[in-house]
Amino acid sequence: MARGRSPGYDDQREMILEHAAQLFANRGYSATSMNQVAEACGFSKALLYHYYRDKYSLLVSIAENHVSRLEGLVTDVEAQKLDAEAHLRELIRRFVQEYAGARHAHRVLTEDVKFMEEGDRERVLGTQRKVVSGFARAVLELRPDLQDAALAKPLTMLLFGMINWMFIWMRPDGELDYDAMAPVVADLFLGGLPGVRIPQRIVHVDA
């Protein structure tokens, strides 16, 4: 008869991922060993292997869990059926809050996905593309005229440029926290969005 999992099994797995993400983010995936992860968790190496079979499985789990949470946020906000501006503001607020507690996981996603095998990498990047598409839809709700110019995704990526890298320069003990910065990001993006002009395309005529 198979032995069941302990009640705290899933909590332990999450705790391991948090420590592994911090180590990968600070040291780099290649430079981090399972011994270091076990030590950070206060485990023996044998106990760590009870939860994760190797360092690669930690990497995949960190990236998959992170992008899945982000996809869930997009779905949750869409389900609220907010008006166009409120929709985008809520997306920005939720993502800024999420990144406040997931900066290590996000750094792993941006810097270490290259170490994944092709199938795992494509699965993670596929989910990431769904997240981007969710934001692009919200942008188009406000500026439907951008559809034909294919500008919704580039503008979305510019918005992510503001959100994604806040963890680089924001100090945990600084005067502003993530909750304070979320509406600033929204104001900055939404204030500039109406002024975006559709570029004139250059037509090359053969001589």
Side-chain angles (χ1 to χ4, degrees), residues 3-69:
R3 190 173 70 182
R5 291 177 175 176
S6 64
Y9 182 85
D10 290 336
D11 290 339
Q12 291 284 63
R13 284 176 62 88
E14 284 298 314
M15 182 270 288
I16 292 167
L17 290 182
E18 288 177 9
H19 283 292
Q22 184 172 1
L23 286 169
F24 292 170
N26 292 335
R27 296 171 177 264
Y29 172 73
S30 297
T32 302
S33 69
M34 287 292 274
N35 277 332
Q36 290 168 330
V37 176
E39 182 179 350
C41 296
F43 287 173
S44 67
K45 192 174 179 181
L47 181 57
L48 179 60
Y49 282 122
H50 175 66
Y51 293 96
Y52 290 95
R53 67 179 183 274
D54 54 25
K55 185 173 72 168
Y56 181 77
S57 66
L58 286 170
L59 173 61
V60 173
S61 293
I62 291 166
E64 282 191 327
N65 287 2
H66 183 52
V67 294
S68 293
R69 283 195 296 270

Coordinates of all heavy atoms in Angstrom, one line a residue, residues 3-69:
R3 N 2.3 4.9 0.6 CA 2.2 5.8 1.8 C 1.7 7.2 1.3 O 2.2 7.7 0.3 CB 3.6 5.9 2.4 CG 3.5 6.7 3.8 CD 4.9 6.6 4.4 NE 5.8 7.4 3.7 CZ 7.1 7.5 4.1 NH1 7.6 6.8 5.1 NH2 8.0 8.3 3.4
G4 N 0.7 7.7 1.9 CA 0.2 9.0 1.5 C 1.1 10.2 1.9 O 2.1 10.0 2.7
R5 N 0.9 11.3 1.3 CA 1.7 12.5 1.5 C 1.3 13.1 2.9 O 0.2 13.1 3.3 CB 1.5 13.5 0.4 CG 2.1 13.1 -0.9 CD 1.8 14.1 -2.0 NE 2.5 13.8 -3.2 CZ 2.3 14.5 -4.4 NH1 1.5 15.5 -4.4 NH2 2.9 14.1 -5.5
S6 N 2.3 13.7 3.5 CA 2.0 14.4 4.8 C 1.2 15.6 4.5 O 1.2 16.2 3.4 CB 3.3 14.8 5.5 OG 4.0 15.7 4.7
P7 N 0.4 16.1 5.5 CA -0.4 17.3 5.3 C 0.3 18.5 4.9 O -0.2 19.4 4.2 CB -1.1 17.5 6.7 CG -1.0 16.1 7.4 CD 0.3 15.5 6.8
G8 N 1.6 18.7 5.2 CA 2.3 19.8 4.9 C 3.2 19.7 3.6 O 4.0 20.5 3.4
Y9 N 3.0 18.6 2.9 CA 3.8 18.3 1.7 C 3.9 19.5 0.7 O 4.9 19.9 0.3 CB 3.3 17.0 1.1 CG 4.1 16.6 -0.1 CD1 5.3 15.8 0.1 CD2 3.8 16.9 -1.4 CE1 6.0 15.4 -1.0 CE2 4.5 16.5 -2.5 CZ 5.7 15.7 -2.3 OH 6.4 15.3 -3.4
D10 N 2.7 20.0 0.3 CA 2.6 21.0 -0.7 C 3.3 22.3 -0.1 O 3.9 23.0 -0.9 CB 1.2 21.3 -1.1 CG 0.6 20.1 -1.9 OD1 1.4 19.4 -2.6 OD2 -0.6 20.0 -2.0
D11 N 3.1 22.6 1.1 CA 3.7 23.8 1.7 C 5.2 23.7 1.7 O 5.9 24.7 1.4 CB 3.2 24.0 3.2 CG 1.7 24.4 3.3 OD1 1.2 24.9 2.2 OD2 1.1 24.2 4.3
Q12 N 5.7 22.5 2.0 CA 7.1 22.3 1.9 C 7.7 22.5 0.5 O 8.7 23.1 0.3 CB 7.5 20.9 2.4 CG 7.2 20.7 3.9 CD 8.3 21.3 4.8 OE1 8.5 22.5 4.8 NE2 9.0 20.5 5.5
R13 N 7.0 22.0 -0.5 CA 7.4 22.2 -1.9 C 7.5 23.6 -2.2 O 8.4 24.1 -2.9 CB 6.4 21.4 -2.8 CG 6.7 19.9 -2.8 CD 5.6 19.2 -3.7 NE 5.7 19.7 -5.1 CZ 6.5 19.1 -6.0 NH1 7.3 18.1 -5.7 NH2 6.5 19.5 -7.3
E14 N 6.5 24.4 -1.8 CA 6.5 25.8 -2.1 C 7.6 26.5 -1.4 O 8.3 27.4 -1.9 CB 5.1 26.5 -1.6 CG 4.0 26.2 -2.5 CD 4.2 26.8 -3.9 OE1 4.6 27.9 -4.1 OE2 4.0 26.0 -4.9
M15 N 7.9 26.1 -0.1 CA 9.0 26.7 0.6 C 10.3 26.4 -0.1 O 11.2 27.3 -0.2 CB 9.0 26.2 2.0 CG 10.1 26.8 2.9 SD 11.7 25.9 2.9 CE 11.2 24.4 3.8
I16 N 10.5 25.2 -0.6 CA 11.7 24.9 -1.3 C 11.9 25.7 -2.6 O 12.9 26.2 -2.9 CB 11.7 23.4 -1.7 CG1 11.8 22.5 -0.4 CG2 12.8 23.0 -2.6 CD1 11.5 21.0 -0.6
L17 N 10.8 25.9 -3.3 CA 10.8 26.7 -4.5 C 11.2 28.1 -4.2 O 12.0 28.8 -5.0 CB 9.5 26.7 -5.3 CG 9.1 25.3 -5.9 CD1 7.8 25.5 -6.6 CD2 10.2 24.9 -6.9
E18 N 10.7 28.7 -3.1 CA 11.1 30.1 -2.8 C 12.6 30.2 -2.5 O 13.2 31.1 -3.0 CB 10.3 30.5 -1.5 CG 8.8 30.7 -1.8 CD 8.0 31.1 -0.5 OE1 8.7 31.3 0.5 OE2 6.8 31.1 -0.6
H19 N 13.1 29.2 -1.8 CA 14.6 29.3 -1.5 C 15.4 29.1 -2.7 O 16.4 29.7 -3.0 CB 14.9 28.2 -0.4 CG 14.5 28.6 1.0 ND1 15.1 29.7 1.7 CD2 13.6 28.1 1.8 CE1 14.6 29.8 2.9 NE2 13.7 28.9 3.0
A20 N 14.9 28.1 -3.6 CA 15.7 27.8 -4.8 C 15.6 29.0 -5.7 O 16.6 29.4 -6.3 CB 15.1 26.6 -5.5
A21 N 14.5 29.7 -5.8 CA 14.3 30.9 -6.7 C 15.3 32.0 -6.2 O 15.9 32.7 -7.0 CB 12.9 31.4 -6.7
Q22 N 15.4 32.2 -4.9 CA 16.3 33.2 -4.4 C 17.7 32.9 -4.7 O 18.5 33.8 -5.1 CB 16.1 33.3 -2.9 CG 16.9 34.5 -2.3 CD 16.6 34.7 -0.8 OE1 15.8 34.0 -0.2 NE2 17.3 35.7 -0.2
L23 N 18.1 31.6 -4.6 CA 19.5 31.2 -4.9 C 19.8 31.3 -6.4 O 20.8 31.9 -6.8 CB 19.7 29.8 -4.4 CG 19.8 29.5 -2.9 CD1 19.8 28.0 -2.6 CD2 21.1 30.1 -2.4
F24 N 18.8 30.9 -7.2 CA 19.0 31.0 -8.7 C 19.2 32.5 -9.1 O 20.0 32.8 -9.9 CB 17.9 30.3 -9.4 CG 17.8 28.8 -9.3 CD1 16.7 28.2 -9.8 CD2 18.8 28.1 -8.7 CE1 16.6 26.8 -9.7 CE2 18.7 26.7 -8.6 CZ 17.6 26.1 -9.1
A25 N 18.3 33.3 -8.5 CA 18.3 34.7 -8.8 C 19.6 35.4 -8.4 O 20.1 36.3 -9.1 CB 17.1 35.4 -8.2
N26 N 20.1 35.0 -7.3 CA 21.3 35.7 -6.7 C 22.6 35.1 -7.2 O 23.6 35.8 -7.4 CB 21.3 35.7 -5.2 CG 20.2 36.5 -4.6 OD1 19.7 37.5 -5.2 ND2 19.7 36.2 -3.4
R27 N 22.6 33.8 -7.3 CA 23.9 33.1 -7.7 C 23.9 32.7 -9.2 O 25.0 32.5 -9.8 CB 24.1 31.8 -6.9 CG 24.3 32.0 -5.4 CD 24.2 30.7 -4.7 NE 24.4 30.8 -3.3 CZ 25.6 30.6 -2.7 NH1 26.7 30.3 -3.4 NH2 25.8 30.7 -1.4
G28 N 22.7 32.5 -9.8 CA 22.6 32.0 -11.1 C 22.3 30.5 -11.0 O 22.7 29.8 -10.1
Y29 N 21.5 30.1 -12.0 CA 21.1 28.6 -12.0 C 22.3 27.7 -12.1 O 22.4 26.7 -11.3 CB 20.1 28.4 -13.2 CG 19.8 26.9 -13.4 CD1 19.0 26.3 -12.5 CD2 20.3 26.3 -14.5 CE1 18.6 24.9 -12.7 CE2 20.0 24.9 -14.7 CZ 19.2 24.3 -13.8 OH 18.9 22.9 -14.0
S30 N 23.2 28.0 -13.0 CA 24.4 27.1 -13.2 C 25.3 27.0 -11.9 O 25.8 25.9 -11.7 CB 25.2 27.6 -14.4 OG 24.4 27.5 -15.6
A31 N 25.3 28.1 -11.2 CA 26.3 28.1 -10.0 C 25.6 27.6 -8.8 O 26.3 27.6 -7.7 CB 26.8 29.5 -9.9
T32 N 24.4 27.2 -8.8 CA 23.7 26.8 -7.6 C 23.6 25.2 -7.6 O 23.3 24.6 -8.6 CB 22.3 27.4 -7.5 OG1 22.3 28.8 -7.5 CG2 21.5 26.9 -6.2
S33 N 23.9 24.7 -6.4 CA 23.8 23.2 -6.3 C 22.6 22.8 -5.5 O 22.1 23.6 -4.7 CB 25.1 22.7 -5.7 OG 25.2 23.1 -4.3
M34 N 22.3 21.5 -5.6 CA 21.2 21.0 -4.7 C 21.6 21.0 -3.2 O 20.8 21.2 -2.3 CB 20.9 19.6 -5.1 CG 20.1 19.5 -6.4 SD 18.4 20.2 -6.3 CE 17.5 18.7 -5.7
N35 N 22.9 20.9 -3.0 CA 23.4 21.0 -1.6 C 23.1 22.4 -1.0 O 22.7 22.5 0.1 CB 24.9 20.8 -1.5 CG 25.3 19.3 -1.5 OD1 24.5 18.5 -1.0 ND2 26.5 19.0 -2.0
Q36 N 23.3 23.4 -1.8 CA 23.0 24.8 -1.4 C 21.5 25.0 -1.1 O 21.1 25.7 -0.2 CB 23.6 25.8 -2.4 CG 25.1 25.8 -2.4 CD 25.6 26.6 -3.6 OE1 25.0 26.6 -4.7 NE2 26.8 27.2 -3.4
V37 N 20.7 24.4 -2.0 CA 19.3 24.5 -1.8 C 18.8 23.8 -0.5 O 18.1 24.4 0.3 CB 18.5 23.9 -3.0 CG1 17.0 24.0 -2.8 CG2 18.8 24.7 -4.3
A38 N 19.4 22.6 -0.3 CA 19.0 21.9 0.9 C 19.4 22.6 2.1 O 18.7 22.7 3.1 CB 19.7 20.5 0.8
E39 N 20.6 23.2 2.1 CA 21.1 24.0 3.2 C 20.2 25.2 3.5 O 19.9 25.5 4.7 CB 22.6 24.4 3.0 CG 23.2 25.2 4.1 CD 24.6 25.6 3.9 OE1 25.2 25.2 2.8 OE2 25.2 26.4 4.6
A40 N 19.8 25.9 2.4 CA 19.0 27.1 2.6 C 17.6 26.7 3.2 O 17.0 27.5 3.9 CB 18.8 27.7 1.2
C41 N 17.2 25.5 2.9 CA 15.9 25.0 3.4 C 16.0 24.4 4.8 O 14.9 24.1 5.4 CB 15.3 24.0 2.5 SG 14.8 24.7 0.8
G42 N 17.2 24.1 5.3 CA 17.4 23.4 6.5 C 17.1 22.0 6.4 O 16.7 21.3 7.4
F43 N 17.3 21.4 5.2 CA 17.0 20.0 4.9 C 18.3 19.3 4.8 O 19.4 19.9 4.5 CB 16.2 19.8 3.6 CG 14.8 20.2 3.7 CD1 14.0 20.3 2.6 CD2 14.2 20.6 4.9 CE1 12.7 20.6 2.6 CE2 12.9 20.9 5.0 CZ 12.1 21.0 3.8
S44 N 18.2 17.9 4.9 CA 19.3 17.1 4.3 C 19.1 17.0 2.8 O 18.0 17.2 2.3 CB 19.3 15.7 5.0 OG 18.1 15.0 4.5
K45 N 20.2 16.7 2.1 CA 20.0 16.5 0.7 C 19.1 15.4 0.3 O 18.3 15.5 -0.6 CB 21.4 16.3 0.0 CG 21.4 16.4 -1.5 CD 22.8 16.2 -2.0 CE 22.9 16.3 -3.5 NZ 24.3 16.2 -4.0
A46 N 19.1 14.3 1.1 CA 18.2 13.2 0.9 C 16.7 13.6 1.0 O 15.9 13.2 0.2 CB 18.5 12.1 1.9
L47 N 16.4 14.5 2.0 CA 15.1 14.9 2.2 C 14.6 15.8 1.0 O 13.5 15.8 0.6 CB 14.9 15.7 3.5 CG 13.5 16.2 3.8 CD1 12.5 15.1 3.9 CD2 13.5 16.9 5.2
L48 N 15.6 16.7 0.6 CA 15.2 17.5 -0.6 C 14.8 16.7 -1.8 O 13.9 17.0 -2.5 CB 16.4 18.4 -0.9 CG 16.3 19.3 -2.1 CD1 15.1 20.3 -1.9 CD2 17.6 20.1 -2.4
Y49 N 15.5 15.6 -2.0 CA 15.2 14.7 -3.2 C 13.9 14.0 -3.0 O 13.3 13.5 -4.0 CB 16.3 13.7 -3.4 CG 17.5 14.2 -4.1 CD1 18.8 14.2 -3.5 CD2 17.4 14.8 -5.3 CE1 19.9 14.7 -4.1 CE2 18.6 15.3 -6.0 CZ 19.8 15.2 -5.4 OH 20.9 15.7 -6.0
H50 N 13.3 14.0 -1.8 CA 12.0 13.5 -1.6 C 11.0 14.4 -2.2 O 9.9 13.9 -2.6 CB 11.7 13.4 -0.1 CG 10.3 12.9 0.3 ND1 9.8 11.7 0.0 CD2 9.3 13.6 0.9 CE1 8.6 11.6 0.4 NE2 8.3 12.8 1.0
Y51 N 11.3 15.7 -2.4 CA 10.3 16.6 -2.9 C 10.6 17.0 -4.4 O 9.7 17.1 -5.2 CB 10.4 17.9 -2.1 CG 9.9 17.8 -0.7 CD1 10.7 17.6 0.4 CD2 8.5 17.8 -0.4 CE1 10.2 17.4 1.7 CE2 8.0 17.7 0.8 CZ 8.9 17.5 1.9 OH 8.4 17.3 3.2
Y52 N 11.9 17.1 -4.7 CA 12.3 17.4 -6.1 C 13.4 16.5 -6.5 O 14.4 16.4 -5.8 CB 12.7 18.8 -6.3 CG 11.5 19.8 -6.1 CD1 11.2 20.4 -4.9 CD2 10.6 20.0 -7.2 CE1 10.1 21.2 -4.8 CE2 9.5 20.9 -7.1 CZ 9.3 21.4 -5.9 OH 8.2 22.3 -5.7
R53 N 13.3 15.9 -7.7 CA 14.3 14.9 -8.1 C 15.7 15.5 -8.5 O 16.7 14.8 -8.4 CB 13.8 14.1 -9.3 CG 13.6 14.8 -10.6 CD 13.1 13.9 -11.7 NE 13.0 14.6 -13.0 CZ 12.0 15.4 -13.4 NH1 10.9 15.5 -12.6 NH2 11.9 16.0 -14.5
D54 N 15.7 16.7 -8.9 CA 17.0 17.4 -9.3 C 16.8 18.9 -9.4 O 15.7 19.4 -9.3 CB 17.5 16.8 -10.6 CG 16.5 16.8 -11.8 OD1 15.6 17.7 -11.7 OD2 16.6 16.0 -12.7
K55 N 17.9 19.5 -9.7 CA 17.9 21.0 -9.8 C 17.0 21.5 -11.0 O 16.4 22.5 -11.0 CB 19.3 21.5 -10.0 CG 19.4 23.0 -10.0 CD 20.9 23.5 -9.9 CE 21.6 23.2 -11.2 NZ 22.9 23.9 -11.3
Y56 N 17.1 20.7 -12.1 CA 16.3 21.1 -13.3 C 14.8 21.1 -13.0 O 14.1 22.0 -13.4 CB 16.6 20.1 -14.4 CG 15.8 20.4 -15.7 CD1 16.3 21.5 -16.5 CD2 14.7 19.7 -16.1 CE1 15.6 21.8 -17.7 CE2 14.0 20.1 -17.2 CZ 14.4 21.1 -18.0 OH 13.7 21.4 -19.1
S57 N 14.3 20.1 -12.2 CA 12.9 20.1 -11.9 C 12.5 21.3 -11.0 O 11.4 21.8 -11.1 CB 12.5 18.8 -11.1 OG 13.1 18.7 -9.9
L58 N 13.4 21.8 -10.2 CA 13.2 23.0 -9.5 C 13.0 24.2 -10.4 O 12.1 25.0 -10.3 CB 14.4 23.3 -8.5 CG 14.5 22.5 -7.3 CD1 15.8 22.7 -6.6 CD2 13.3 22.8 -6.3
L59 N 13.9 24.3 -11.4 CA 13.9 25.4 -12.4 C 12.5 25.4 -13.1 O 11.9 26.5 -13.2 CB 15.0 25.3 -13.4 CG 15.0 26.2 -14.6 CD1 15.1 27.7 -14.1 CD2 16.2 25.9 -15.5
V60 N 12.1 24.3 -13.6 CA 10.9 24.2 -14.4 C 9.7 24.5 -13.5 O 8.8 25.3 -13.9 CB 10.7 22.8 -15.0 CG1 9.3 22.6 -15.6 CG2 11.8 22.5 -16.0
S61 N 9.7 24.0 -12.2 CA 8.6 24.3 -11.3 C 8.5 25.8 -11.0 O 7.4 26.4 -10.9 CB 8.7 23.5 -10.1 OG 8.5 22.1 -10.3
I62 N 9.6 26.4 -10.8 CA 9.6 27.9 -10.5 C 9.0 28.7 -11.6 O 8.2 29.5 -11.4 CB 11.1 28.4 -10.2 CG1 11.6 27.8 -8.9 CG2 11.1 29.9 -10.1 CD1 13.1 27.9 -8.7
A63 N 9.5 28.4 -12.8 CA 9.0 29.2 -14.0 C 7.6 28.9 -14.3 O 6.8 29.8 -14.5 CB 9.9 28.8 -15.2
E64 N 7.2 27.6 -14.2 CA 5.8 27.2 -14.5 C 4.8 27.8 -13.5 O 3.8 28.3 -13.9 CB 5.6 25.7 -14.6 CG 6.1 25.1 -15.9 CD 5.7 23.6 -16.0 OE1 5.6 22.9 -14.9 OE2 5.4 23.2 -17.1
N65 N 5.2 27.7 -12.2 CA 4.3 28.3 -11.2 C 4.1 29.8 -11.3 O 3.1 30.3 -11.2 CB 4.9 27.9 -9.8 CG 4.7 26.5 -9.4 OD1 4.2 25.7 -10.2 ND2 5.1 26.1 -8.2
H66 N 5.2 30.4 -11.7 CA 5.2 31.9 -11.8 C 4.3 32.3 -12.9 O 3.4 33.1 -12.8 CB 6.6 32.4 -12.0 CG 6.7 33.9 -12.1 ND1 6.1 34.8 -11.1 CD2 7.3 34.8 -13.0 CE1 6.4 36.0 -11.4 NE2 7.0 36.1 -12.5
V67 N 4.5 31.8 -14.1 CA 3.7 32.2 -15.3 C 2.2 31.7 -15.1 O 1.3 32.4 -15.6 CB 4.3 31.7 -16.6 CG1 5.6 32.4 -16.9 CG2 4.4 30.2 -16.7
S68 N 2.0 30.6 -14.5 CA 0.6 30.2 -14.2 C -0.1 31.1 -13.3 O -1.3 31.4 -13.5 CB 0.6 28.7 -13.6 OG 1.1 27.8 -14.6
R69 N 0.6 31.6 -12.3 CA 0.0 32.6 -11.4 C -0.4 33.9 -12.2 O -1.4 34.5 -12.0 CB 0.9 32.9 -10.2 CG 0.9 31.9 -9.1 CD 1.5 32.4 -7.8 NE 2.9 32.7 -8.0 CZ 3.9 31.9 -7.8 NH1 3.6 30.6 -7.5 NH2 5.1 32.3 -7.9

